[in-house]
Amino acid sequence: MDKNEIIKKIKENKHSKIKVAIVDIDGVLRGKFMHRDKFLSALESGFGFCSVVFGWDMGDVSYTNDIKVTGWHTGYDDFEARVDLDTFRTIPWEDDMPFFIVDFAKEKAEDLAVCPRSLLRKMIGEAEDMNYTPMFSQEFEWFNYRETSDSLKEKNYRDIQPLTPGMFGYSILRMSENSDYFDDLFNLLGAFNVPLEGLHTETGPGVTEAAIQYSGILEAADRAVLLKQPLKKLHIAMASLQVSWLSRLQSFRGVAGTSIKVFGIPKKKENLFYDGKSKDNMSDLMKSFLAGQLKCLPEILPMFAPTINSFKRLVVGAWAPINQTWGHDNRTCSLRVLASGKKSTRIEHRVVGSDVNPYLAMAACLGSGLYGIKHKLKLDTPETKANGYEVKKGILPSNLWDASQKMKNSKIAKDLFGIEFVDHFTKTREWEWKQFSAEVTDWETKRYFEII
């Protein structure tokens, strides 16, 4: 729809208010209601949105570690928010209320460097300048529980009841037992313009996987962010349901972590990754893209693993990689190459956890691949044909602090995403590490309280 068609639909909609949302540095969807008249005027001039959304953490605690873009030193002024009309959809579980995503600008016509969606737009612009159209999709895995917000707190997030018991991946039985939930999930997401290709149980108690249909990369990131929103609101079919995007849960230490697998295909009018004349079907462009992703991976790891918990997943045997590896259809590698045909040749990035900010993860996937093309990198890293966990070279940083320090001092990261973004983002990751380090965990208490 063009602008006039969207405005017409808004005016005809029975709601007098519009829901608008932004995505903060942690990937949390934040927003507010706007009166229809205010919203329509904002389409021309933009509107102010408090900069605090980039000045506090996911718990609304203000950063105190020299965050420059906003803070007490700026008075938490407003940033200019700009509505992206292409994100228009209605919310089917809120009586078809109109919904839009907005971007941020620091000044007129200048994107805000720390805005995740604006950063992805920057990467898209670089791809389009090179005459490429990046097409992405994603698969999400997450935990489902028969709990409420109150019951979780009462139990202190312990002994919580999963939606389905046992290690029952690809289970028709478990889906049939919860058919109302899965039906609502599939249908309502489709109505919310987050169309799924597939939906099934994964191995582990209450684990579900959903594959979102591929699209242009910005739309793919929007869909990934918006997938989480209905899942946290869908109590339609279930009396009580809570979901978790944690990469690894203490309750299920023997269970593989949850992830979002990101697929990338640069296109013009055809899949430029595919070369039928090559014995492995991989074009030289694909090999350079892959080489760039491998080279940049340890330099930008916090964009793929942004939390303390992310690194509990990146361990041996958890169906997640630990090193700079690639292989054809090899699920133990960081980058799994699928090169079976002209339509389907793509790269699956397996480092990415489900706790990421999708805009940042996709910007990192695309930006690092373009780095390889720009620098005409050769795919010198040998293919891993066996167990990737046994490869001892290129081991990735093992915790958020080390990964953040590497990115903070990385020339590659600053070249890819700009000094201002790298400075802000790595300081937010350092903050996350310091908040964790100041806490005394249950493990420490159980381990040391009586014995030491």
Side-chain angles (χ1 to χ4, degrees):
M1 290 184 288
D2 62 23
K3 180 179 178 179
N4 291 330
E5 290 175 309
I6 292 172
I7 291 174
K8 183 173 183 290
K9 281 192 170 292
I10 291 171
K11 290 180 176 179
E12 292 174 349
N13 192 280
K14 58 188 172 184
H15 293 281
S16 62
K17 58 183 181 294
I18 314 292
K19 184 176 281 189
V20 298
I22 66 97
V23 178
D24 69 14
I25 204 72
D26 288 298
V28 177
L29 202 64
R30 299 179 183 268
K32 61 183 179 180
F33 292 123
M34 294 180 68
H35 190 278
R36 178 167 47 208
D37 295 341
K38 170 68 175 177
F39 177 84
L40 291 173
S41 68
L43 292 182
E44 302 300 329
S45 58
F47 64 97
F49 204 112
C50 183
S51 64
V52 73
V53 292
F54 291 108
W56 60 21
D57 65 15
M58 65 182 74
D60 290 7
V61 177
S62 294
Y63 298 122
T64 59
N65 59 334
D66 193 31
I67 294 292
K68 295 177 181 176
V69 67
T70 189
W72 300 116
H73 61 288
T74 69
Y76 287 114
D77 54 339
D78 280 353
F79 287 154
E80 181 193 345
R82 299 176 296 192
V83 178
D84 185 345
L85 287 175
D86 290 337
T87 65
F88 172 59
R89 61 226 324 129
T90 58
I91 307 173
W93 56 92
E94 293 185 15
D95 201 22
D96 289 326
M97 181 184 299
F99 175 91
F100 292 85
I101 298 175
V102 301
D103 297 315
F104 281 99
K106 200 170 186 178
E107 297 174 4
K108 293 288 184 182
E110 179 188 345
D111 286 338
L112 182 68
V114 304
C115 173
R117 200 166 186 271
S118 295
L119 183 72
L120 180 56
R121 282 184 179 278
K122 176 183 174 182
M123 296 298 103
I124 295 169
E126 291 185 10
E128 291 175 343
D129 287 344
M130 299 167 71
N131 205 22
Y132 304 131
T133 302
M135 307 293 291
F136 272 56
S137 67
Q138 53 285 313
E139 292 178 355
F140 265 108
E141 298 169 11
W142 70 93
F143 293 99
N144 300 276
Y145 296 100
R146 295 183 185 276
E147 302 285 351
T148 66
S149 297
D150 290 336
S151 70
L152 286 172
K153 291 174 183 176
E154 288 170 3
K155 294 181 177 183
N156 200 25
Y157 297 91
R158 297 278 182 172
D159 301 319
I160 49 183
Q161 183 185 359
L163 177 63
T164 57
M167 308 288 285
F168 211 161
Y170 298 99
S171 171
I172 295 297
L173 172 62
R174 296 299 185 225
M175 293 191 74
S176 297
E177 289 175 343
N178 298 280
S179 59
D180 287 347
Y181 168 58
F182 286 108
D183 286 345
D184 269 352
L185 185 59
F186 201 98
N187 295 334
L188 288 171
L189 282 171
F192 194 45
N193 194 22
V194 183
L196 301 185
E197 285 187 347
L199 180 68
H200 63 86
T201 63
E202 253 294 357
T203 187
V207 183
T208 299
E209 178 176 306
I212 305 175
Q213 291 181 17
Y214 87 94
S215 63
I217 186 172
L218 185 63
E219 175 64 25
D222 288 342
R223 290 175 177 179
V225 166
L226 297 178
L227 172 71
K228 292 186 175 184
Q229 181 69 5
L231 285 179
K232 288 189 177 291
K233 289 290 293 180
L234 273 178
H235 298 269
I236 294 140
M238 309 293 295
S240 59
L241 174 71
Q242 291 291 312
V243 302
S244 175
W245 303 93
L246 273 172
S247 283
R248 202 86 185 270
L249 281 170
Q250 190 274 342
S251 305
F252 307 121
R253 291 180 66 180
V255 176
T258 61
S259 65
I260 166 178
K261 302 178 186 75
V262 179
F263 300 83
I265 310 173
K267 290 187 176 183
K268 286 188 280 189
K269 293 183 178 179
E270 60 189 53
N271 187 348
L272 300 180
F273 277 177
Y274 178 76
D275 182 357
K277 296 178 181 179
S278 171
K279 64 178 182 180
D280 55 11
N281 289 339
M282 294 171 65
S283 68
D284 290 339
L285 183 86
M286 182 180 190
K287 292 175 182 177
S288 289
F289 193 93
L290 187 62
Q293 289 190 316
L294 285 167
K295 181 177 179 62
C296 297
L297 178 55
E299 310 282 329
I300 58 176
L301 183 58
M303 297 174 76
F304 302 126
T307 72
I308 300 294
N309 189 255
S310 301
F311 290 84
K312 303 295 176 70
R313 170 179 164 267
L314 301 178
V315 295
V316 174
W319 292 92
I322 61 170
N323 44 28
Q324 291 167 281
T325 50
W326 75 277
H328 286 275
D329 199 11
N330 189 333
R331 286 182 170 86
T332 67
C333 294
S334 289
L335 298 168
R336 176 182 173 224
V337 172
L338 297 157
S340 59
K342 183 181 294 186
K343 291 184 177 180
S344 59
T345 295
R346 61 198 187 274
I347 298 169
E348 178 189 32
H349 204 299
R350 295 184 60 81
V351 179
V352 189
S354 64
D355 53 359
V356 295
N357 182 325
Y359 296 109
L360 298 186
M362 292 191 197
C365 285
L366 178 58
S368 57
L370 294 177
Y371 179 93
I373 295 173
K374 291 174 185 176
H375 291 83
K376 300 180 180 179
L377 297 185
K378 300 295 183 183
L379 187 57
D380 296 328
T381 303
E383 179 189 355
T384 298
K385 296 183 179 181
N387 187 351
Y389 294 122
E390 295 178 354
V391 177
K392 303 305 179 186
K393 294 183 179 179
I395 301 296
L396 299 174
S398 61
N399 61 62
L400 183 59
W401 178 263
D402 290 345
S404 297
Q405 297 314 294
K406 191 168 186 66
M407 182 174 178
K408 180 179 182 178
N409 297 303
S410 169
K411 182 179 184 302
I412 287 177
K414 293 171 185 174
D415 287 346
L416 286 174
F417 308 120
I419 293 173
E420 189 175 355
F421 170 79
V422 172
D423 175 72
H424 179 78
F425 180 65
T426 56
K427 282 178 178 173
T428 67
R429 299 310 94 193
E430 289 175 342
W431 171 269
E432 196 73 9
W433 177 266
K434 289 175 180 177
Q435 300 312 294
F436 169 73
S437 299
E439 293 295 320
V440 177
T441 66
D442 289 350
W443 184 91
E444 293 168 86
T445 304
K446 292 175 184 177
R447 184 82 166 181
Y448 304 129
F449 183 91
E450 188 175 5
I451 297 173
I452 295 299

